[in-house]
Every structure is written in C-alpha cells, then in structure tokens.
Amino acid sequence: MKENMTFKLNSNFVGIGLMILSAFCTAFGQLFWKLSHATLNMELIIGFILYFLGAVTMTIAFRFGNLSILHPLLSIGYVISLILGVLFLNETISLNAIIGVIFIISGVFIIGGESH
C-alpha cells in the first residue's frame, strides 16, 4: 500500500513538472507570435515550435498524474504570460491582475499539493 502511494506522489510530481513546462512553452510560443507581427518570419516559426512542444508536453504529462490535479495547473500559463507581457511588450499590470495572479498561484499550490 505504501509503495502505491509513493508511486502516485512521484507520478503526480512528474506530471506537475511537465504541466508547468507546458505552460512555459505555450506562453513563450504566444509571445513569439505577438513579436512576429503576423508575418512569416523566424519569430513566428519559433512560436509555433514552442506552442507545439507545450501541447506535446501537456499530453505526455497526463500520463503521469490525475487529470483533476494536472489540468488546472495550466492556468500558471496566464501568470507567465502576464510577466512576459510586462517584460517584453511594455504592458501594465492592474490591481485586478495582481489579485488574479495571487488566486491562480494559490490554487496551483493547493491543487499541486494534493497527494491523490
């Protein structure tokens, strides 16, 4: 019984890591799309590759954990996109956005900390 719980914890841990990697890939892919100005250039191609890698990583992650734990973790992509927008696109963050980020990160920690 204890071995089964250890496997579930390790499996969810791998799945969580892959989901977070997926969120990073898709967020950076979308950033490159935005930087490409909708013309066929290297930024657009890199964006498609990163977004594709994010989708593949997400699909693989679902093999390593519970859907109810892993899928909500993709919302971390919104936080990453917000940060990338501020750093690279000179966007501003509103108070509502900051509150939203706090809720998203709290939810990720609560859901990601589940052991079953």
Side-chain angles (χ1 to χ4, degrees):
M1 181 75 166
K2 186 172 178 147
E3 288 178 24
N4 189 21
M5 291 224 8
T6 303
F7 176 75
K8 278 185 137 184
L9 287 172
N10 290 339
S11 183
N12 276 335
F13 182 73
V14 170
I16 289 168
L18 288 172
M19 274 303 187
I20 292 172
L21 177 62
S22 173
F24 270 97
C25 287
T26 57
F28 272 97
Q30 292 171 9
L31 173 66
F32 276 95
W33 289 347
K34 179 75 172 175
L35 295 174
S36 74
H37 302 292
T39 61
L40 185 59
N41 56 24
M42 192 54 108
E43 287 90 4
L44 186 66
I45 293 168
I46 291 170
F48 277 117
I49 291 169
L50 286 170
Y51 202 85
F52 173 77
L53 289 174
V56 169
T57 306
M58 177 186 65
T59 304
I60 293 169
F62 285 134
R63 297 184 67 200
F64 291 99
N66 298 332
L67 178 66
S68 61
I69 292 173
L70 297 180
H71 197 274
L73 296 179
L74 284 176
S75 64
I76 199 77
Y78 296 115
V79 176
I80 298 165
S81 294
L82 182 90
I83 294 167
L84 293 176
V86 169
L87 294 176
F88 297 104
L89 303 174
N90 297 320
E91 295 179 356
T92 58
I93 301 176
S94 68
L95 179 61
N96 287 341
I98 292 171
I99 293 169
V101 165
I102 291 168
F103 279 121
I104 289 171
I105 292 173
S106 299
V108 165
F109 278 111
I110 290 168
I111 291 171
E114 286 287 321
S115 63
H116 57 295

